[in-house]
Amino acid sequence: MQRWSICSHLQQYSSPNIIHYHDLDTNIQVKNVSRLCHAKPIVTVNGMFPGPTVYTREGDQLLVNICKATCNFLRRHGLKQYRNGWADGPAYITQCPIQTGNSYTYNITVSGQRGTLWWHAHILWLRATVYGAIVIMPKEGTPFPFPQPYSEANIVLGEWWQADVETIVKTANKLGLPPQSSDAHTINGKPGPLFPCSEKHTFAMEVESGKAYLLRIVNAALNDELFFAIASHSMTVVEIDAVYTKPFTTQALLIAPGQTTSILVKADQSPSRYFMAASPFMDAPIPVDNKTVTAILQYKGVPNTVLPTLPQLPAPNDTKFALNYNSKLRSLDSPQFPANVPLKVDRHLFYTIGLGQNLCPTCLNGTQLAASLNNITFVMPKLGLLQAHYFNIAGVFRTDFPDNPSTPFNYTGAPLTANLGTTLGTRLSKLAFNSTVELVLQDTNLLSVESHPFHLHGFNFFVVGSGIGNFDPKKDPAKFNLVDPPERNTVGVPTGGWTAIRFRADNPGVWFMHCHLELHTMWGLKMAFVVENGKLPEESILSPPKDLPPC
């Protein structure tokens, strides 16, 4: 057995089928970090912001030991954990928090995945600073299905608040209002030279003329979809959410919170310095941090005195670009990496996404903003849902989450500003093992339409269709892509529109589904599926580990 510590700053790719031991012992800590002319304490892993990259290889086993924790736990976003929800990580869904000073080991097998994912804290807004990339290399001797890059780099996009994030959120919740937008976006934790006091807080990547580079891009921002581009350079998209795609070239890309995108970039321009830049996409009347973060692509031998040029990013409300870009995403669907799209559907689900207002006598206006699926605002339990399910503990949740909204209406018509109360509850939807599911997520104009990136734990899914306006169950399915739709774990539901996904419920356990805008998750835009055990032992939930955190 070979052990490998996440505490190491120099990471190397693994040899096949070994156990990687990621030791987080006493390294989740508070550290003072300076950005935008101001220092503040933040929670970090190993004192690093962002945290260290986890490198592994398809087929490896990861033992992630969190000792003497100070921030509850981490989630490996997008890593499938078959029968093993105990290693999934979200608070009160698959486990109770790791209490301060205690330990827990996540036992993860990396199976059937290769590409770029990421890890982050999964409680409150702690992931504002606790996050990092995961790089899964193909099995030893298996090449990429695209030209081998000369080198690669991670581009992790994030957000930065000058004030303490926890204080900002608590204040907003007391008022019943949204928290203030972030003060900057970041690339690898750095806002770049367009912000004050940030010349030294700029990520730079050196390249050699004629060489090709693989950039692994993660959107770890809490609330903003982001455009990304590199001045004068085209990009070839080759992978999303650790699934290979049919390559296509673009001048800019769109990436929602929770998503990853890997691109090939060739250093084929005149040797100089070029800005890599990201800025928000928002095509609804919702305030965002509308600032541009920059990093530098620097050709070898070019002095730092050369001023970089900026790329042409899409306008903040460029809906046409967003829809066109997403329409180009296709699964590779090769013999080696097939797109196994469910063609027969056992269960049809239709969930409306809505904002709302509930009574709150202590709040500023007597109401508190809320969010819901099928008008149900999810209430977090006090016991992990997976524990309650596995041990048959009654009274923790109900399994009557409706397959359809109770009252159909013109979902994307004129804004609805009356009767905005939602139903509160810890209600889950039960799925038979190995059943095939089609879920249509429909945005609504309750208060306002808005784009929503939805993430499903425990599964990848196929994005078989999308459109603007109300989903038409008679006409729209005829336009579904059932051949090579993009396969991913997080999908954006377009503003005032709908998205249809399909997946096979072959992973028993309790699996969270939520909007990956932290603001909306906090307001209750979430639910969970209970996938029943199959008939065989190997189709059933694994026994819980002995060190599972107590509640």
Side-chain angles (χ1 to χ4, degrees):
M1 179 189 298
Q2 181 176 343
R3 289 191 170 186
W4 176 58
S5 174
I6 202 172
C7 303
S8 305
H9 286 208
L10 178 64
Q11 311 287 3
Q12 294 182 342
Y13 297 142
S14 67
S15 54
N17 302 320
I18 62 172
I19 292 181
H20 278 171
Y21 190 85
H22 295 268
D23 187 359
L24 300 185
D25 188 13
T26 71
N27 285 293
I28 298 177
Q29 58 195 233
V30 175
K31 179 183 178 181
N32 271 336
V33 171
S34 179
R35 295 290 186 273
L36 309 183
C37 317
H38 170 73
K40 70 169 186 177
I42 65 170
V43 178
T44 68
V45 174
N46 294 353
M48 299 168 65
F49 170 65
T53 299
V54 175
Y55 288 92
T56 186
R57 193 178 288 281
E58 182 184 356
D60 282 351
Q61 183 181 2
L62 304 179
L63 298 177
V64 183
N65 184 29
I66 300 181
C67 292
K68 301 178 183 178
T70 59
C71 77
N72 296 290
F73 43 79
L74 307 177
R75 161 162 168 72
R76 279 73 39 210
H77 179 113
L79 264 180
K80 299 178 192 175
Q81 286 138 71
Y82 186 65
R83 304 169 54 209
N84 188 25
W86 313 111
D88 193 38
Y92 298 108
I93 304 298
T94 56
Q95 65 172 89
C96 289
I98 306 169
Q99 299 302 316
T100 300
N102 291 348
S103 305
Y104 182 48
T105 298
Y106 293 102
N107 189 337
I108 303 161
T109 299
V110 182
S111 177
Q113 291 181 284
R114 74 295 300 165
T116 310
L117 295 171
W118 63 301
W119 58 264
H120 59 86
H122 210 300
I123 187 168
L124 307 175
W125 288 43
L126 196 63
R127 72 176 180 90
T129 60
V130 181
Y131 61 85
I134 299 174
V135 174
I136 307 172
M137 296 300 294
K139 290 181 178 179
E140 197 78 50
T142 303
F144 294 129
F146 48 81
Q148 179 74 22
Y150 173 71
S151 185
E152 63 178 66
N154 300 328
I155 304 292
V156 185
L157 309 173
E159 290 183 82
W160 178 265
W161 280 261
Q162 284 282 63
D164 177 69
V165 176
E166 185 178 357
T167 301
I168 291 172
V169 173
K170 285 182 178 179
T171 301
N173 282 340
K174 286 181 179 179
L175 296 173
L177 299 174
Q180 69 188 58
S181 298
S182 56
D183 296 295
H185 294 105
T186 58
I187 293 178
N188 293 343
K190 300 174 180 180
L194 302 186
F195 288 88
C197 305
S198 297
E199 194 73 39
K200 63 180 179 180
H201 298 304
T202 302
F203 173 73
M205 174 185 172
E206 186 179 81
V207 297
E208 295 184 30
S209 290
K211 305 287 189 183
Y213 295 82
L214 180 66
L215 301 189
R216 301 178 180 272
I217 305 169
V218 176
N219 187 349
L222 275 76
N223 295 307
D224 291 342
E225 294 185 74
L226 295 167
F227 294 118
F228 178 85
I230 306 173
S232 302
H233 291 73
S234 60
M235 305 175 290
T236 301
V237 176
V238 294
E239 175 242 315
I240 54 172
D241 292 1
V243 179
Y244 295 134
T245 63
K246 287 183 170 66
F248 69 93
T249 300
T250 183
Q251 298 305 306
L253 61 84
L254 176 63
I255 184 168
Q259 292 182 335
T260 70
T261 303
S262 294
I263 58 171
L264 285 175
V265 177
K266 190 169 184 180
D268 56 2
Q269 299 299 303
S270 300
S272 187
R273 301 172 82 222
Y274 299 89
F275 272 133
M276 300 182 277
S279 63
F281 165 59
M282 174 54 72
D283 58 351
I286 306 290
V288 294
D289 173 8
N290 195 21
K291 303 181 187 74
T292 299
V293 56
T294 54
I296 297 174
L297 187 80
Q298 182 159 341
Y299 281 63
K300 188 174 183 179
V302 174
N304 292 343
T305 53
V306 175
L307 293 177
T309 54
L310 274 167
Q312 184 69 42
L313 288 162
N317 61 349
D318 195 339
T319 305
K320 183 179 178 181
F321 176 90
L323 296 175
N324 184 54
Y325 173 81
N326 284 325
S327 71
K328 294 178 181 178
L329 296 171
R330 292 282 188 273
S331 289
L332 184 59
D333 190 32
S334 68
Q336 188 176 7
F337 305 106
N340 296 316
V341 188
L343 300 180
K344 174 181 168 293
V345 175
D346 299 318
R347 184 89 170 269
H348 289 269
L349 307 175
F350 183 82
Y351 292 175
T352 56
I353 305 164
L355 300 178
Q357 289 178 325
N358 290 326
L359 293 177
C360 174
T362 61
C363 294
L364 183 64
N365 300 316
T367 59
Q368 186 172 39
L369 287 167
S372 67
L373 286 166
N374 283 352
N375 206 45
I376 298 170
T377 296
F378 190 83
V379 176
M380 294 298 288
K382 303 299 183 184
L383 178 73
L385 296 176
L386 181 59
Q387 291 163 280
H389 171 59
Y390 185 85
F391 292 109
N392 293 312
I393 301 172
V396 179
F397 64 86
R398 292 157 49 182
T399 56
D400 62 348
F401 192 92
D403 288 2
N404 298 278
S406 59
T407 306
F409 59 98
N410 182 8
Y411 307 115
T412 56
L416 301 173
T417 57
N419 301 317
L420 295 173
T422 67
T423 301
L424 307 182
T426 310
R427 299 168 67 178
L428 281 59
S429 178
K430 185 178 287 188
L431 301 176
F433 178 79
N434 210 38
S435 61
T436 53
V437 180
E438 179 181 292
L439 168 60
V440 176
L441 292 161
Q442 172 72 61
D443 187 30
T444 68
N445 210 350
L446 291 163
L447 284 181
S448 175
V449 291
E450 186 176 351
S451 176
H452 299 271
F454 263 83
H455 173 54
L456 176 60
H457 292 221
F459 301 92
N460 277 1
F461 50 74
F462 292 95
V463 186
V464 296
S466 188
I468 300 300
N470 297 339
F471 174 73
D472 187 332
K474 294 182 179 179
K475 295 180 180 179
D476 287 326
K479 296 177 282 188
F480 284 177
N481 177 4
L482 301 179
V483 177
D484 61 351
E487 180 184 351
R488 56 190 329 163
N489 61 62
T490 305
V491 65
V493 179
T495 299
W498 56 271
T499 292
I501 66 173
R502 288 188 182 184
F503 65 97
R504 181 176 294 278
D506 57 359
N507 193 2
V510 177
W511 303 105
F512 205 20
M513 187 181 77
H514 59 94
C515 179
H516 222 283
L517 302 180
E518 205 64 37
L519 175 64
H520 293 169
T521 302
M522 176 179 73
W523 286 346
L525 193 50
K526 49 196 173 185
M527 57 83 66
F529 292 105
V530 179
V531 179
E532 297 177 298
N533 286 335
K535 296 179 180 179
L536 303 175
E538 59 268 26
E539 298 173 342
S540 300
I541 302 170
L542 295 174
S543 299
K546 294 180 179 179
D547 61 343
L548 186 71
C551 295

